[in-house]
């Protein structure tokens, strides 16, 4: 029998239809996300010149001065440390608070569970609305101060709005993380928890030694998402603290307006991106092939 | 090691009683099988005793101690689930060691015990494997080793073999029996596979609609079923209507509508001469005999062959005695002679028959 082998097809020929289908999305993603990042990255290494003694303009160069400035000038250094530090602390609190709530939602059949779950999404979709609601709640006349006064925990109202505390409270409150962790917990078979109990583990031991480790991928994802939201938060400190706050995002904005220092703003942005990138790397490391066959 | 007792244990789901006033008394060190059809409440009963489900009423005593409201982690038990419940985030070693670490055993002792257990289930050498690197049977053996490691008072097995293929099931079945012999741990196993129960258990609880209908050794259950359900559930049984004609050490019965008398090696308590009974004859126990062998054989009846099918090892014969159908699983070299005998008359020795009391008006086969 004579079987003629078809001529070997190139990679492009074999994947043409896939590429064609992906093309619109790929072009969109490249245009909207990749290009600005490339520009930002390039800008971060630009120098600048004082044009006609009127305006500073970026000057293409390979100049490391912006990064040197960011890590030596105490104002920038403080801002970086503050932003990352607050994000780390608030994300940890956020996740710790989310764990029991998410577990409860995953394991019990409460009436109106989806309503409860949607309410955790409200701060994401109605962000501005909820920020102002929180701002009101934290005013000296607001319900939080009223409660603290009634409980005699404080004697005079504390001004939380306008201070960084408002942002810390906001970031510590679990929202999307509850839903992410809930779905991770739902994916943990109750069988393992029952097995742990028959082996002599109390409810807490079962939770921390079986349920949480088995849901660790989802929890790590929730941590990453909360953390990057934390370091990247712009509007929240702006509204709750005011324009001259210590968050790096706001600092970046101030580099542009009024100083018009695009290279410095880009360098700070790159630093922020790299920090999230490092965290993302560790996140991917936790996503090693899981337990299931 | 401990004995297990329940008193009027009840578990309801809504109005439906999945476990309905169950009283069991399980001897220390025994291997008890809970046998019954699907949905009869076996798993629910087992999980109640283990503490994974809280009963609605009744009491559970393990080793004489009332544990009805004691959470499972304080009951010192081992539980093997239907699906392999080996922790996927731990290695084989860590799985077996886990319960010991919870009990704060010293490290060297943990190591010795884990190795001992892995040898017991023949998994030594695989202690660093992860779940995904094991076969289903191996994973189930890890769970058995893990359950036995902390020397539990009782071991519970809920259909531990049902997800394995037939060959592996047979292997592991014998292994479980062997492990029980070596450890002597009181074992309670749920199964709906009667062969499994009869092979490895020394005590069988037969369950039906949330109730225990019969308890006894496998031989007792097989030879002397006490209800039509028992007789029908285990093996293939024939039910013929008869009337008691004499009682001494044995009971003699006349088959209704015939002159044939049969003898059963049992006396039904409280059932007098003249009472109607069901005569149960197992399809596997019936022998086909030659006409001249009648005098030498026990419990001979004459039957008409309606159909004979060769299935390999046995010939399944559908015959008729009077108005009653008789199913025969014929073995031996004579079985081939039955093929093509439709309409012919044969003599059958019913062998060991058993009797079950029958209500006066009770009609045909249940
Ligand atoms: N959580 C539950 N809610 C409502 N009904 C239940 C629940 N668990 C079990 N049942 C019912 O209780 C009865 C007994 O269930 P159980 O699982 O104990 O049966 P089983 O004898 O183990 O059956 P199988 O051999 O199929 O495993 C069944 O009719 C089942 O539908
Ligand atoms: Mg079951």
């Amino acid at each position: 029998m004579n079987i003629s082998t078809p001529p070997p097809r190139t990679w492009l020929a074999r994947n043409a239809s896939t590429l064609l289908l992906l093309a619109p999305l790929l072009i969109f993603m490249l245009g909207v996300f990749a290009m600005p990042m490339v520009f930002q990255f390039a800008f971060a290494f630009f120098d600048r010149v004082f044009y006609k003694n009127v305006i500073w303009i970026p000057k293409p160069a390979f100049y490391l001065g912006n990064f040197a400035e960011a890590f030596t000038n105490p104002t920038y250094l403080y801002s970086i440390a503050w932003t990352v530090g607050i994000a780390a602390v608030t994300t940890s609190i956020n996740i710790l608070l989310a764990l029991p709530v998410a577990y409860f939602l995953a394991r019990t059949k409460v009436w109106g569970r989806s309503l409860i779950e949607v309410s955790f999404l409200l701060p994401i979709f109605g962000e501005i609305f909820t920020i102002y609601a929180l701002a009101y709640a934290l005013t000296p006349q607001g319900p939080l101060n009223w409660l603290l006064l009634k409980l005699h925990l404080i004697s005079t109202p504390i001004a939380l709005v306008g201070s960084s505390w408002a942002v810390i409270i906001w970031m510590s409150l679990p929202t999307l993380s509850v839903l992410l962790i809930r779905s991770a917990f739902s994916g943990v078979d109750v069988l393992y928890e029952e097995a742990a109990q028959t082996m002599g583990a109390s409810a807490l031991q079962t939770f921390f030694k079986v349920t949480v480790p088995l849901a660790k991928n989802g929890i790590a994802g929730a941590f990453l998402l909360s953390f990057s939201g934390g370091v990247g938060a712009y509007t929240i400190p702006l509204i709750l603290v005011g324009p001259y706050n210590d968050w790096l995002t706001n600092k970046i904005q101030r580099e542009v307006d009024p100083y018009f220092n695009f290279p410095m703003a880009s360098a700070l942005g790159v630093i922020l991106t790299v920090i999230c990138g490092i965290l993302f790397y560790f996140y991917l490391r936790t996503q090693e092939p899981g337990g299931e066959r | 090691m401990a004995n297990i007792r329940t008193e009027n244990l009840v578990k309801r789901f809504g109005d439906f009683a999945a476990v309905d006033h169950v009283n069991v008394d399980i001897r220390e060190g025994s291997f008890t099988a809970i046998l019954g059809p699907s949905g009869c409440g076996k798993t629910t009963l087992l999980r109640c005793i283990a503490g994974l489900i809280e009963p609605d009423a009744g009491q559970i005593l393990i080793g004489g101690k009332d544990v009805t409201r004691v959470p499972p982690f304080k009951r010192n038990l081992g539980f093997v689930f239907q699906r392999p419940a080996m922790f996927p985030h731990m290695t084989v070693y860590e799985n077996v060691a886990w319960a010991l670490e919870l009990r704060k055993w010293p490290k060297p002792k943990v190591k010795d015990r884990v190795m001992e257990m892995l040898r017991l289930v023949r998994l030594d050498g695989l202690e660093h494997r992860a779940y995904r690197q094991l076969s289903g049977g191996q994973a189930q053996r890890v769970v058995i080793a893990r359950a036995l490691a902390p020397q539990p008072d009782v071991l519970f097995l809920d259909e531990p073999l049902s997800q394995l293929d037939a060959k592996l099931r047979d292997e592991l079945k014998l292994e479980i029996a062997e492990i029980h012999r070596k450890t002597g741990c009181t074992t309670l196993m749920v199964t709906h596979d009667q062969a499994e129960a009869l092979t490895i258990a020394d005590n069988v609880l037969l369950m039906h609609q949330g109730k225990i209908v019969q308890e006894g050794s496998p031989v007792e259950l097989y030879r002397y079923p006490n209800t039509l359900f028992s007789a029908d559930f285990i093996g293939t049984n024939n039910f013929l209507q008869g009337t008691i004609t004499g009682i001494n050490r044995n009971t003699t019965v006349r088959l209704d509508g015939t002159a044939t008398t049969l003898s059963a090696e049992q006396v039904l308590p409280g059932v007098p001469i003249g009472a109607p009974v069901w005569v149960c004859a197992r399809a596997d126990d019936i022998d086909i005999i030659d006409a001249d062998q009648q005098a030498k054989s026990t419990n001979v009846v004459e039957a008409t062959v309606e159909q004979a099918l060769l299935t390999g090892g046995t010939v399944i014969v559908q015959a008729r005695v009077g108005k009653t159908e008789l199913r025969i699983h014929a073995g031996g070299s004579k079985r081939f002679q039955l093929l093509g005998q439709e309409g012919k008359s044969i003599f059958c020795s019913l062998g060991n028959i058993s009797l079950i009391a029958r209500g006066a008006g009770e009609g045909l086969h249940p």
Side-chain angles (χ1 to χ4, degrees):
Chain A
M1 221 197 312
N2 179 18
I3 300 169
S4 63
T5 44
R9 292 160 70 201
T10 61
W11 182 87
L12 202 65
R14 270 180 286 128
N15 296 293
S17 56
T18 317
L19 282 176
L20 216 64
L21 285 169
L22 274 177
L25 186 67
L26 270 177
I27 290 167
F28 181 80
M29 297 291 273
L30 281 173
V32 173
F33 293 107
M35 291 270 286
M37 270 182 74
V38 171
F39 283 149
Q40 184 198 29
F41 196 76
F43 253 66
F45 294 95
F46 277 18
D47 199 355
R48 51 183 193 145
V49 289
F50 203 37
Y51 182 69
K52 292 192 171 164
N53 287 340
V54 177
I55 189 168
W56 285 98
I57 56 163
K59 175 171 162 276
F62 184 75
Y63 171 66
L64 294 171
N66 300 314
F67 289 100
E69 176 86 6
F71 287 113
T72 49
N73 186 332
T75 340
Y76 294 126
L77 209 54
Y78 176 77
S79 198
I80 294 170
W82 172 263
T83 305
V84 173
I86 294 293
V89 170
T90 56
T91 302
S92 305
I93 299 172
N94 181 321
I95 298 297
L96 284 179
L97 291 176
L99 285 176
V101 181
Y103 189 71
F104 173 78
L105 287 173
R107 285 290 182 266
T108 52
K109 294 187 194 81
V110 284
W111 185 86
R113 195 179 72 183
S114 29
L115 207 68
I116 298 175
E117 293 188 358
V118 167
S119 71
F120 280 106
L121 284 178
L122 203 66
I124 312 277
F125 291 122
E127 190 170 49
I128 300 297
F129 173 78
T130 21
I131 291 173
Y132 278 111
L134 182 78
Y136 165 71
L138 299 180
T139 52
Q141 299 80 27
L144 185 70
N145 270 301
W146 176 83
L147 187 74
L148 292 176
L149 283 170
K150 280 278 174 210
L151 293 172
H152 297 288
L153 288 171
I154 53 171
S155 50
T156 48
I158 38 176
L160 291 166
V161 177
S163 81
S164 299
W165 283 109
V167 180
I168 292 170
I169 291 174
W170 168 271
M171 287 180 177
S172 302
L173 293 177
T175 54
L176 190 61
S177 52
V178 169
L179 300 190
L180 290 175
I181 297 174
R182 187 212 59 106
S183 102
F185 281 156
S186 297
V188 176
D189 199 325
V190 185
L191 178 71
Y192 298 122
E193 294 176 354
E194 288 183 337
Q197 287 181 41
T198 62
M199 289 167 75
S202 66
L204 272 184
Q205 285 171 321
T206 302
F207 183 70
F208 285 110
K209 292 184 176 176
V210 174
T211 316
V212 168
L214 286 175
K216 74 171 194 310
N217 288 1
I219 297 172
F223 189 95
L224 183 75
L225 208 77
S226 282
F227 183 84
S228 36
V231 292
Y234 171 75
T235 339
I236 293 150
L238 188 66
I239 295 173
L240 291 179
V241 187
Y244 290 95
N245 61 64
D246 295 320
W247 270 270
L248 195 60
T249 47
N250 285 251
K251 198 135 192 94
I252 291 171
Q253 192 267 333
R254 291 200 296 276
E255 287 302 324
V256 176
D257 175 22
Y259 304 118
F260 215 67
N261 193 348
F262 275 102
M264 192 65 216
S266 300
L268 293 175
V270 167
I271 290 169
L272 212 55
T273 312
V274 168
I275 290 168
C276 286
I278 291 169
L279 210 72
F280 190 66
Y281 169 76
F282 283 111
Y283 167 73
L284 287 181
R285 290 263 309 261
T286 67
Q287 308 285 303
E288 77 225 8
E292 298 301 326
R293 272 174 300 190
Chain B
M1 261 206 277
N3 67 332
I4 304 168
R5 243 153 46 77
T6 68
E7 278 168 17
N8 286 319
L9 202 65
V10 178
K11 176 65 200 178
R12 289 192 190 88
F13 295 112
D15 289 339
F16 170 76
V19 170
D20 194 0
H21 294 91
V22 166
N23 294 290
V24 299
D25 194 347
I26 292 160
R27 220 178 58 255
E28 186 172 327
S30 73
F31 194 126
T32 300
I34 304 178
L35 180 65
S38 184
C40 71
K42 306 179 296 291
T43 299
T44 311
L45 174 62
L46 195 75
R47 290 167 73 87
C48 278
I49 299 175
L52 291 169
I53 302 180
E54 203 171 326
D56 294 316
Q59 273 193 328
I60 301 158
L61 296 101
I62 297 180
K65 213 175 93 216
D66 185 345
V67 295
T68 316
R69 306 283 165 223
V70 175
F73 69 93
K74 289 185 184 158
R75 292 192 188 189
N76 193 30
L77 46 87
F79 204 108
V80 178
F81 297 83
Q82 192 163 355
R83 290 179 290 148
M86 178 180 163
F87 295 138
H89 61 301
M90 300 179 190
T91 62
V92 170
Y93 183 94
E94 288 164 342
N95 265 275
V96 182
W98 202 64
L100 307 177
E101 281 157 5
L102 285 174
R103 287 165 171 78
K104 306 242 180 327
W105 284 32
K107 259 218 161 72
K109 226 178 128 202
V110 169
K111 182 152 197 249
D112 290 348
R113 182 67 178 164
V114 172
M115 287 316 186
E116 185 191 338
M117 285 297 114
L118 289 180
R119 270 194 303 277
L120 183 70
V121 298
R122 298 194 288 124
L123 284 180
D124 36 334
L126 301 186
E127 57 266 25
H128 298 301
R129 291 271 183 98
Y131 176 51
R132 63 178 178 283
Q133 298 167 313
L134 296 176
S135 72
Q138 287 170 331
Q140 199 60 306
R141 289 212 292 256
V142 171
V143 177
I144 294 172
R146 183 176 84 172
L148 285 168
Q151 290 166 326
D153 291 332
V154 258
L155 177 66
F156 296 92
L157 305 150
D158 185 1
E159 306 210 27
L161 309 176
S162 64
Q163 296 218 330
L164 307 175
D165 63 58
K167 190 166 169 293
L168 201 58
R169 196 157 57 217
D170 280 344
E171 242 177 72
L172 208 49
K173 180 163 77 181
L174 297 176
E175 227 170 282
I176 288 177
E178 171 84 8
I179 289 168
H180 173 254
R181 236 175 358 87
K182 282 186 186 157
T183 60
C185 181
T186 313
T187 304
L188 192 53
M189 181 178 83
V190 158
T191 177
H192 63 246
D193 179 345
Q194 42 171 303
E196 207 170 285
L198 298 179
T199 324
I200 50 180
D202 52 39
N203 185 34
V204 179
L205 302 174
L206 187 62
M207 206 169 170
H208 182 44
Q209 294 179 346
K211 291 189 165 68
I212 303 287
V213 290
Q214 189 169 6
E215 177 181 358
S217 69
V219 176
E220 277 167 358
L221 245 79
Y222 192 80
R223 286 207 50 189
Y224 306 113
N226 66 353
T227 54
L228 284 177
F229 170 78
S230 301
D232 201 29
F233 186 74
I234 296 173
T236 308
N237 234 325
N238 294 291
F239 299 93
L240 305 133
Q241 294 176 48
T243 306
I244 297 184
T245 54
I247 301 175
N248 41 40
R249 274 208 357 261
N250 294 348
T251 307
T252 39
V253 186
R254 184 172 35 75
L255 284 186
D256 291 358
T258 69
T260 316
T261 44
L262 306 170
S263 168
E265 292 176 8
Q266 86 192 101
V267 175
L268 293 177
V271 182
I273 291 178
V277 287
W278 288 110
V279 175
C280 310
R282 295 203 172 273
D284 293 308
D285 285 2
I286 301 174
D287 287 326
I288 312 295
I289 54 166
D290 296 333
D292 56 0
Q293 299 255 296
Q294 281 188 64
K296 280 191 259 166
S297 309
T298 52
N299 295 335
V300 177
V301 296
E302 194 176 350
T304 315
V305 177
E306 292 190 327
Q307 197 180 41
L309 298 169
L310 178 67
T311 63
T314 52
V315 170
I316 296 179
V317 181
Q318 199 72 47
R320 183 169 284 281
V321 176
K323 283 197 209 105
T324 316
E325 293 278 352
L326 194 67
R327 194 178 165 91
I328 304 165
H329 294 170
S333 54
K334 282 220 197 81
R335 67 182 190 274
F336 300 110
Q337 296 167 11
L338 292 162
L339 298 171
Q341 294 289 301
E342 280 82 357
K344 302 266 169 55
S345 186
I346 52 168
F347 290 98
C348 313
S349 161
L350 298 184
N352 294 311
I353 56 166
S354 58
L355 306 176
I356 295 167
R358 169 166 66 102
E362 220 175 306
L364 287 169
H365 173 247

